[in-house]
Amino acid sequence: TSNNHGLQNRDWTVTYGADGYSTAIDYEDHNTLYFTWQNGHLLRYDRRTREPLDIQPQPALGDEPERWNWDAPLLISPHNSNRIYYGSQRLWRSDDRGSSWKAISGDLSQGRNRYDMPMVETAPGISALYDNSAMSWYGNTTAISESPLQEGLIYVGTDDGLIQVTEDGGENWRRVDNIQGVPAGSFVNDIKASETDANTVFAALDNHKGGDYSPYIVKSADRGRSWSSISGNLPNRHLVWSIAQDHVDGKLIFLGTEFGVFFTLEGGNNWIKLEGGAPTIPFRDIEIQRRESDLVASTFGRGFYVLDDYTPLRKLDAAALAGDGHLFPTRATYRYVESTDLGVPGKAFQGSSHYNAPNPPFGAVFTYYLGEEMKNSREKREAGEKEIRERGENVPFPGWEILTAEGRAGDPQIILTVKDSRGQVIRRITGADSKGFHRVAWDLRFPSPRPVDLNPPSAEIWGPAPAGPMVAPGSYTVELARLADGELQLLGEAQEFEVVDLYGSAVDRGDADENLAFQQETAEIQRRAESAASWVGESLNRLAHMEKAVFETPRAPATLLHQISTLENHFADISLVLMGDRVRGSLWEPSQPSILGRVGQIAGGHWWTTEPPTKTHRTSLGIAARQLTEVESRLERLAGGIMQLEEALKAAGAPWTPGQRIGE
């Protein structure tokens, strides 16, 4: 969502009751969606009216009853968004969004009577105790896929071990009932026609009802005529529930299994488990959100997970993993200002029972890989000494020079440097330095113009952490580097990415570059004003130390106390203009806006919108700029007075006070 609360209950719509199963969204009209509930009930739903319409196909007079799976398969044709496929024991097709239907196959299952089938070793007979209250009918279709590259090339899987293929939209069917290495009668959990090769198809089968929990994932390169296993190194007992193939790189395939999500970069056989917070539970369905290249996965525990931007996996190869570090491409980043719809971020004042799930990190997300953990000189020495000890040898004393150098050396850091299209540095961001994959987000903002604070910035309940203006849309680059011993070493190649407005031209925001120029002018005045305020505080601290030094120096003339008091009054007058009337403020009375008050109101009120500044903003900034120029001139003069006081105290033999130069 575009707010900083994340996803809340209000962002979800319950479309219907019962147990929901297959869902399909019209890719041409996102207000139209289809969903099923158990045993084949199918509805079309209009998001505008929120009205569900029953569109379940019905058998003609004299037809056999339809046998629907509890989770009947549903598919919108990739070639025609008005065409829907739906499966009972036969395949149905509608070309008018479910208003009318035509069966384009006969019975695609084996058509066996489940009461004749043995349970354990024998068929127990019709009088045995069967639980028929909530289960699928037997002998039906369970998976449908149409090739996105060839219209009418359709694959259908069944619950009794068959894969049926038609290459002409249902006129003729070819039956696959023997896949080498897969037990006969295995349930077809999923089937997916390849996104990149019209002849290739993948299928996931399941024999756990036969006491066999092996993963069966197979591939055909000749439209189902022959098959080969690509289960490879998938762990035993990892039933495969769902398949998703990348639409750009056909060798990148994802699997939802009984114990997590796996991927391969090689089209199969070598599978790697995706961690990153995914629980070890059954992932029953996985899909790819193509526009964002996000992997979406749902679990048998009704959990819903998103792996944002998996595109780095397309670029993952031996070369990327061989060096010290590698920076992966960054996708286009949406520019907008997060709203605070509940007044303050997070759950706000809604209480702990208020549901919200986090958004992805805001801004440009950079993905990088480090071949080894970054260590400082002491850690490297200690690692070497550990190897020596493990060999049973004596560990030599490193020497005082080395120990001294180690004490002076700082820890290495990973630095990501963002530059604009002219090559000017916009921001430097630190990242994790351990071995492996990492992600760090840039919030699309310049650094804060406020004085440097060694403590990490933190957001307050009523406002964000200190930040600078937001950049304008355009092209940017990011570089990955290692900072060690004061030197930057580039790791991998720089990556270019685009920052684009989320709302595009739908909203008139004026000229983004002009808006940014005003915000940068505001930032510069805020930087100067904050610097002046800090210098006022430091000067008053120096004067307080000088006053004490006068009392501790018998030779210091008492007239110096009057000079100190006079300077303190001058600084108080400047503080009034610069930071506001603290006396009135302490009594909760209004006073004239201060320089920092004016600038702070503009920064707080304009930097968190993409709209142009108001005339009031421009006028108020002009007033602050003129006042600040005068304040800076007065501070220059007062600086001379402080130096004269320091010289007088030095001549009197006073103790050193803060601010004096070395030797004084």
Side-chain angles (χ1 to χ4, degrees), residues 34-84:
Y34 306 87
F35 55 84
T36 69
W37 54 286
Q38 57 260 45
N39 280 356
H41 294 279
L42 175 64
L43 301 113
R44 187 176 73 221
Y45 182 85
D46 190 320
R47 292 178 60 215
R48 291 158 294 203
T49 63
R50 300 196 174 190
E51 296 174 355
L53 175 67
D54 168 45
I55 57 169
Q56 184 188 43
Q58 297 295 315
L61 190 64
D63 282 357
E64 290 291 324
E66 300 302 313
R67 298 192 302 273
W68 304 100
N69 193 272
W70 195 258
D71 184 3
L74 170 68
L75 176 73
I76 299 177
S77 170
H79 303 282
N80 181 349
S81 65
N82 291 324
R83 180 175 298 160
I84 314 166

Side-chain angles (χ1 to χ4, degrees), residues 581-591:
D581 192 330
R582 295 182 179 179
V583 174
R584 284 178 172 268
S586 67
L587 297 174
W588 201 246
E589 285 295 315
S591 60

